[in-house]
Amino acid sequence: LGAGPIYLHRMNDEGTELLDEGKIIFYGDGAEGPKWYDTEDGVLLLFPQGGTSMGWQMALRGPSMEGPFESMRICKQGETWINGPHQGALLDTTSGEWWFLHFSHCGVAGRVVYLEPVTWVDGWPRIGDPTDEPYCGQPVWMHKKPDLPEQPICCTPTSDDFSSDKLGLQWLWNHNPVDDRWSLSRTPGNLQIKGSKAEEDIFAVRNMLTQRLIGASGFVTVRIDVSEMDIGQQAGLAAMGRDPFLYSVTKAEDGLYVTIDYKGDVSLKRQACHSGAEEEWQHKLFKGPFPGNVMYLRFSIQNLVELRLAYSLDGKEFTYLRHDAFLSECPWKGARIGLFTFRGDGWATFNDFK
């Protein structure tokens, strides 16, 4: 069970049924995510305790899963800024090295994964650099990479010109998509998403395509063609978190408008989400009208929090708006950037995502 005492149950061979009421083998605030390991002297149980933001790693060891157990703290935040080294798993390499994967809760960035070296001290796996506790480590700032066969240096893909007949692995649908309302082949070399007037809440928009942010600062730019969109329909970039911020182009009778949708007061430069407040959505046709059917929209991301907003008619000269926005934290996961269309049944066409 999560975030409380750790129970041990007997199960059937298929792992589908509990065979007893279980017994508590460890009491502790926020103990969760336990993992068993066989050792030469018995068993080892690793788990985090104390919560995702302020917690630490614990270990139990004993002759068998029935105990009796000794307990030891094996990793804490210590003097680092890497808070609550949480959950994770022990790994070993063919050369005999030991490592530990864990995450740290990093606000808007979500749960960031770290790899720590492990040193065995008197049978305890001390994680990271030594501390004032003999069997407890703290996350390393820098360390030699694991002793593994050489691999090419590569980065997670981000940009996409949608020239493939399949979406890249960097993309994540916000919901299970409606497959007949998106296409990479209807106009080859583009991503097209069909809107639905029935979707009145941005959280309910089925065909929003998103990806996690990599790094703390940078630019996100996309080209949008509104030729097949309805009058009043909008399409653009979404900053998805607890409170989404929508930056889009709206197709109107007299041309194109740069549009922003948000909660709270963007001019105050704060996140809309704060305890005890339910604020109304604001929808503003911010700049326009502009001629033509194509608009480039850009997020300039600063320190993984602030968004500066820019637009262009040619993809070369960008004009920044006077108002900025903020990425908001999303429970259990990081903020994401998304492509969406809203308030219409037409097709929005996306390209040159960078």
Side-chain angles (χ1 to χ4, degrees):
L1 300 178
I6 296 177
Y7 285 80
L8 178 67
H9 290 271
R10 291 190 177 276
M11 302 182 71
N12 63 4
D13 291 341
E14 293 75 26
T16 58
E17 184 181 354
L18 300 179
L19 301 180
D20 59 26
E21 294 183 358
K23 68 174 184 178
I24 295 175
I25 61 173
F26 182 82
Y27 285 95
D29 178 44
E32 62 176 347
K35 296 178 177 65
W36 287 108
Y37 299 91
D38 285 322
T39 69
E40 293 180 356
D41 300 318
V43 296
L44 190 67
L45 183 66
L46 267 57
F47 56 92
Q49 189 183 348
T52 57
S53 298
M54 302 297 293
W56 55 89
Q57 288 290 328
M58 289 292 295
L60 300 183
R61 69 180 182 187
S64 73
M65 294 174 69
E66 299 286 343
F69 295 106
E70 302 173 83
S71 65
M72 188 66 63
R73 181 156 70 166
I74 58 175
C75 189
K76 62 181 180 179
Q77 179 174 345
E79 298 177 354
T80 76
W81 52 266
I82 302 174
N83 63 17
H86 207 73
Q87 297 193 21
L90 278 174
L91 305 168
D92 62 329
T93 68
T94 55
S95 64
E97 292 181 342
W98 284 85
W99 299 83
F100 188 77
L101 277 171
H102 70 89
F103 77 78
S104 176
H105 184 70
C106 298
V108 172
R111 294 179 166 184
V112 176
V113 178
Y114 293 82
L115 181 65
E116 309 287 350
V118 171
T119 303
W120 290 89
V121 182
D122 297 334
W124 296 105
R126 186 183 67 199
I127 298 170
D129 285 334
T131 67
D132 55 351
E133 300 176 42
Y135 303 112
C136 181
Q138 66 181 20
V140 299
W141 173 246
M142 186 178 296
H143 198 277
K144 183 180 178 181
K145 293 188 295 184
D147 181 17
L148 295 171
E150 284 195 25
Q151 300 288 331
I153 297 174
C154 61
C155 296
T156 302
T158 52
S159 299
D160 202 334
D161 62 4
F162 302 113
S163 59
S164 173
D165 60 355
K166 295 181 180 179
L167 286 172
L169 296 178
Q170 69 267 40
W171 293 108
L172 171 71
W173 291 107
N174 201 41
H175 294 279
N176 291 331
V178 180
D179 285 334
D180 62 0
R181 283 173 37 204
W182 73 276
S183 176
L184 291 169
S185 59
R186 190 170 176 269
T187 58
N190 297 283
L191 167 69
Q192 288 195 295
I193 301 177
K194 191 177 191 299
S196 172
K197 288 182 179 178
E199 297 171 337
E200 298 180 354
D201 187 324
I202 193 64
F203 284 111
V205 171
R206 292 280 298 276
N207 285 15
M208 178 185 290
L209 194 60
T210 72
Q211 62 172 273
R212 287 286 299 273
L213 291 170
I214 303 296
S217 300
F219 296 94
V220 178
T221 307
V222 67
R223 179 184 188 272
I224 304 168
D225 190 321
V226 307
S227 301
E228 297 186 70
M229 285 168 47
D230 295 343
I231 299 297
Q233 186 172 348
Q234 59 192 97
L237 293 168
M240 293 300 291
R242 184 183 282 113
D243 288 315
F245 179 87
L246 310 180
Y247 182 45
S248 60
V249 54
T250 295
K251 184 176 182 179
E253 293 282 2
D254 57 347
L256 308 183
Y257 285 82
V258 175
T259 311
I260 58 176
D261 294 74
Y262 59 91
K263 285 184 177 181
D265 188 348
V266 175
S267 65
L268 295 179
K269 293 191 175 183
R270 63 169 174 79
Q271 295 185 63
C273 179
H274 54 92
S275 179
E278 286 293 334
E279 304 197 39
E280 295 295 325
W281 274 97
Q282 306 291 323
H283 173 69
K284 293 185 178 181
L285 300 178
F286 205 83
K287 289 286 185 179
F290 297 100
N293 288 310
V294 172
M295 178 82 71
Y296 291 79
L297 298 180
R298 172 174 288 176
F299 281 153
S300 174
I301 302 168
Q302 308 292 324
N303 300 317
L304 203 56
V305 175
E306 188 172 356
L307 297 172
R308 297 190 63 203
L309 315 174
Y311 66 91
S312 173
L313 298 179
D314 60 8
K316 298 177 181 178
E317 297 292 330
F318 281 84
T319 301
Y320 280 87
L321 304 186
R322 292 178 59 190
H323 288 285
D324 298 337
F326 282 84
L327 288 161
S328 63
E329 185 174 346
C330 188
W332 306 108
K333 50 188 176 289
R336 290 168 291 137
I337 298 299
L339 301 176
F340 77 98
T341 187
F342 196 40
R343 298 192 172 103
D345 294 321
W347 288 88
T349 303
F350 300 91
N351 205 327
D352 294 338
F353 182 87
K354 299 176 181 177

